[in-house]
Amino acid sequence: MSTALEIRVLKSHSDLQMVQNLEKQVWEMDPLPLHQTITAAQNGGLLLGAFIDNEMVGFSYSFPGFQHGKSYLCSHMLGIHPDHQEKGIGAKLKKAQKEIARDMGYDLIVWTFDPLETRNAYLNLSKLHAICSTYIENCYGEMEDNLNYGLPSDRFKVEWWINSPHVIDHHGVNIEEEPFKLPWKTTIDQLPILDDVEDEIENISDQQKPVLVPVPANFQHLKRENYSLAMEWRLKTRKVFQALFQKGYAAVFLRKSDDEPVHYYLLTQRKHVNI
């Protein structure tokens, strides 16, 4: 980037109005109410803006969460202006969020993302070293924005243990055996299809072997080309992830493929992750 990127904490009314404007540009939907974001900022939440030449090009919004006797920071939204995507701004916002949240006393940050959106998966798991062992069916119900329209809004709920060796030291998970790769094939149009893998899942989980779960490399392209196939991927991977999570697995990494229409989630037993 030719000009310096500045990231700063947002608290003022004018700052949060800029967030609203950016929300509209990113998602083309009604923005969060100002009274909500202001209240979060004043009560343990954290809003960050990324600026180039005093123009907001990205933001993150998080608020306090509490469950099972544990407090954490719930990172609800991260948006980058369409003209500034693919420049690493999202990763820089998350890094700043981690450092400031740690200073605020948090050691856990959680958020959700669509498990079939591999760009988000690569950032969240492979670069930030979050993990996931929670799958939420149709988390937000029917959504009308361009990315989510027409499919159940299933989500991974990821955990970012910001003080753990897994995050601080970038210690990968120790995989001592070759993961089992779930089978897939392609249509006549070279679109990927996931095989029926119920029996394979049962055998793998009994042996506690690491698993590679394929997902479309470009889910939005697949959805445009073949909606019914996109729905099939949603429903089949839902069963796969739910079955593996129930048997103690966690998604810890997204492995990109250069020559296949799929990328792969690496799942291992959660007890092997150093958190």
Side-chain angles (χ1 to χ4, degrees):
M1 299 173 64
S2 58
T3 56
L5 181 76
E6 177 192 3
I7 295 178
R8 64 174 185 255
V9 176
L10 307 176
K11 292 184 177 181
S12 72
H13 187 273
S14 60
D15 282 343
L16 299 179
Q17 281 184 317
M18 286 191 283
V19 169
Q20 284 192 318
N21 293 334
L22 190 50
E23 285 181 68
K24 295 174 185 176
Q25 293 174 301
V26 173
W27 291 292
E28 299 179 358
M29 58 189 293
D30 292 338
L32 293 169
L34 279 178
H35 62 77
Q36 179 176 330
T37 52
I38 289 174
T39 301
Q42 294 173 348
N43 292 276
L46 177 60
L47 287 99
L48 297 174
F51 295 84
I52 297 176
D53 295 332
N54 290 320
E55 177 188 358
M56 184 181 289
V57 297
F59 79 95
S60 69
Y61 163 54
S62 51
F63 53 83
F66 186 85
Q67 192 172 31
H68 305 308
K70 171 70 177 176
S71 61
Y72 53 87
L73 190 64
C74 183
S75 185
H76 183 54
M77 300 181 80
L78 187 148
I80 309 298
H81 190 283
D83 292 342
H84 294 277
Q85 295 176 2
E86 306 291 345
K87 297 179 180 180
I89 296 174
K92 291 177 180 177
L93 278 166
K94 295 302 290 185
K95 180 180 178 181
Q97 182 188 55
K98 176 182 66 176
E99 299 302 326
I100 298 171
R102 182 181 290 138
D103 291 341
M104 295 170 69
Y106 291 107
D107 64 358
L108 173 63
I109 304 175
V110 305
W111 65 91
T112 63
F113 75 94
D114 186 336
L116 296 180
E117 294 291 349
T118 55
R119 180 173 65 180
N120 294 340
Y122 185 74
L123 170 63
N124 295 335
L125 304 187
S126 302
K127 297 185 71 174
L128 300 179
H129 306 283
I131 68 168
C132 177
S133 56
T134 302
Y135 192 100
I136 307 174
E137 288 188 26
N138 202 24
C139 181
Y140 301 113
E142 297 289 332
M143 301 183 72
E144 300 297 326
D145 62 289
N146 293 334
L147 290 177
N148 296 289
Y149 180 78
L151 291 177
S153 57
D154 290 19
R155 293 293 185 266
F156 272 2
K157 182 178 180 180
V158 301
E159 304 165 31
W160 199 20
W161 294 93
I162 58 177
N163 294 326
S164 69
H166 183 70
V167 172
I168 294 175
D169 301 328
H170 294 180
H171 282 171
V173 178
N174 184 20
I175 302 296
E176 297 182 351
E177 55 184 327
E178 183 66 22
F180 182 86
K181 185 184 294 185
L182 294 182
W184 59 278
K185 55 193 175 186
T186 57
T187 68
I188 192 172
D189 298 321
Q190 299 304 303
L191 297 173
I193 306 174
L194 183 64
D195 286 348
D196 294 324
V197 294
E198 286 83 358
D199 291 341
E200 287 89 343
I201 290 294
E202 190 63 33
N203 292 333
I204 294 165
S205 58
D206 287 344
Q207 301 168 22
Q208 298 190 354
K209 290 185 63 173
V211 188
L212 289 174
V213 178
V215 290
N218 189 333
F219 186 60
Q220 292 301 321
H221 170 75
L222 175 68
K223 188 165 71 170
R224 289 191 298 269
E225 294 295 316
N226 190 327
Y227 170 80
S228 63
L229 183 56
M231 180 65 81
E232 182 178 318
W233 271 101
R234 172 67 85 214
L235 298 180
K236 282 187 174 181
T237 54
R238 173 192 287 178
K239 291 182 179 179
V240 168
F241 288 124
Q242 286 178 331
L244 290 172
F245 290 166
Q246 187 175 13
K247 293 180 178 293
Y249 280 83
V252 297
F253 195 81
L254 185 88
R255 181 184 294 181
K256 290 185 175 181
S257 174
D258 294 329
D259 56 357
E260 295 177 325
V262 296
H263 297 326
Y264 297 90
Y265 279 101
L266 174 64
L267 282 81
T268 189
Q269 284 288 311
R270 183 183 173 104
K271 62 187 178 183
H272 297 154
V273 185
N274 195 4
I275 58 173

